[in-house]
Amino acid sequence: MKNGVVIVGAGHAGVQAAASLREEGYDGPVILLGDEKELPYHKPPLSKTFIKDPAAQPQPLRGEVFYTGHTIDFRPGTLVERIDAGANSLALAGGESLDYDHLILATGSRPRILPLPGADLAGVLSLRSVADARLIRDHSAACEDVVVIGGGFIGLEIAATLAAGGRRVTVVEALDRLLGRAVAPLIAEHVRKRLEATGVRILLKTTIERIEGEGGHAAGALTSAGERLPAKMVIIGIGVVPNVELAETAGLAIANGIRVDQAMRSSVANILAVGDNASYRHWQTGSDVRLESVQNATDQSKLAARTIVGHGGDYSAVPWFWSDIGDMKLQMVGLTSGSDRQILSGDTAENRFSVYHFIGERLVAIESVNRPADHMLGRKMLGLGFSPKAEQVAGGAEALKAALAAQPPG
Ligand code: FAD
């Protein structure tokens, strides 16, 4: 145990893994390597508030004293270039090498690139890091018109935030609905109408053919329908790809992310992977998934720490996610895949409702808009494997609470 645990990537997953190792009583060296220069910070506020507030600062995941107080050797600005799995050793940019007993890969993901003519112009941006968010904020100060390519969560959050900050925003989405297959069509449609009511223009079934520039800077975007949209800033938000290149240098099994077992171990037993970069067989659906959420990063990292100290356990967390799009707090719990029956509870006109998803009689997911109580109950119900009846769903949170309370213990 002389070399301890080295964690690569100091985002949500990496920082949680370091914290959990100490919580689980691990007393060997813990070294946390991150290529960003910042103290590790929360990513969700970047698209929701940071980009419209000139005074906003990144919100640290943990204060500086946390790292020193828990003897976590945090090294910012440290890029890891290669893994020699046979020698249990890492090569850092700059030539240094570092040995480990266990390695945790928490390298996250990065925005998917859209190979468009004009994509290299100044003002064509995407959002992952606080450095990206600062660029978006700086550019938006000098532009009135923005085009957002991609109607997923991040694209819509950015669109709503910039529109609230006074920009004219057009969202261009290739599919015939927003939010891909991530939410029920009813919710996607609700989000579309609500965003349009705030002035965001949404073009469905439309793509961008090229970005046009003036003097090396974006000036507009040409749609597949032949319309030229003025835009000094074009934001590309078409999803992310997992950062697996480092894992490839170690010869780890990769399939839409680093393959891990139920204990977060990769195909090499003393190398674990957690967070956005890890793909695993989901206990509920039996299919391979790679989830991109704070919950997943946090829970997988807690489990990875348990695996290393020998406390064991299988990954069986109920997945949940949230997104703030304008005046809509969307909260999702469970997985909707295979859902064959949906029950609506609440009123879309009031902008407060939930969609309960079932497979047969079994509750598999709940998607809520401005109904946090439904979401919290959903987490409980799915955690307990409890499926409410239609009349209990219709009765709202009170009826569901009563139904849960009436469950026999255990
Ligand atoms: P990251 O947080 O991306 O951390 C990975 C870190 O590893 C990065 O700092 C990266 O630079 C570093 N790294 C990569 N390779 C190397 C290397 N070779 N050497 C050293 N360091 C390396 N999720 C939600 O649940 N709700 C939300 O509302 C929400 N909003 C979001 C808004 C934005 C703008 C973004 C970008 C994400 C949002 N997410 C949200 C997703 C959530 O932030 C991610 O799922 C989470 O950050 C994943 O954590 P991670 O540690 O796996 O990856």
Side-chain angles (χ1 to χ4, degrees), residues 164-231:
R167 306 290 164 272
R168 278 193 300 262
V169 183
T170 304
V171 175
V172 179
E173 165 57 52
L175 299 178
D176 59 358
R177 51 166 288 184
L178 295 177
L179 296 169
R181 278 188 245 278
V183 298
L186 174 80
I187 293 187
E189 192 53 12
H190 178 79
V191 170
R192 181 185 68 77
K193 286 189 189 143
R194 199 115 192 137
L195 274 179
E196 285 181 341
T198 65
V200 175
R201 189 169 173 223
I202 295 174
L203 304 177
L204 299 177
K205 289 198 269 184
T206 306
T207 55
I208 293 296
E209 308 260 290
R210 64 169 185 271
I211 300 166
E212 296 172 336
E214 271 167 29
H217 201 287
L222 187 72
T223 73
S224 49
E227 182 180 357
R228 184 181 183 279
L229 304 168

Side-chain angles (χ1 to χ4, degrees), residues 8-14 33-36 43-44 46-48 78-81 106-109 127-129 154 157 243 246 274-277 291-295 297 320-324:
V8 184
H12 285 266
L33 308 173
D35 58 358
E36 296 185 67
K43 289 207 159 60
L46 298 179
S47 46
K48 298 166 180 75
T78 306
L79 175 71
V80 180
E81 285 190 334
T107 50
S109 57
L127 177 56
R128 179 74 197 174
S129 65
I154 300 267
E157 286 186 358
N243 290 325
L246 184 62
V274 287
D276 275 19
N277 68 9
L291 299 178
E292 297 151 9
S293 70
V294 169
Q295 171 276 318
W320 57 266
F321 181 80
W322 84 97
S323 172
D324 297 328

Side-chain angles (χ1 to χ4, degrees), residues 356-379:
Y356 289 70
H357 290 260
F358 292 81
I359 296 178
E361 297 304 314
R362 184 164 60 92
L363 179 72
V364 291
I366 300 174
E367 301 169 320
S368 306
V369 177
N370 296 329
R371 295 255 289 208
D374 289 4
H375 174 76
M376 294 312 291
L377 275 166
R379 276 158 65 172

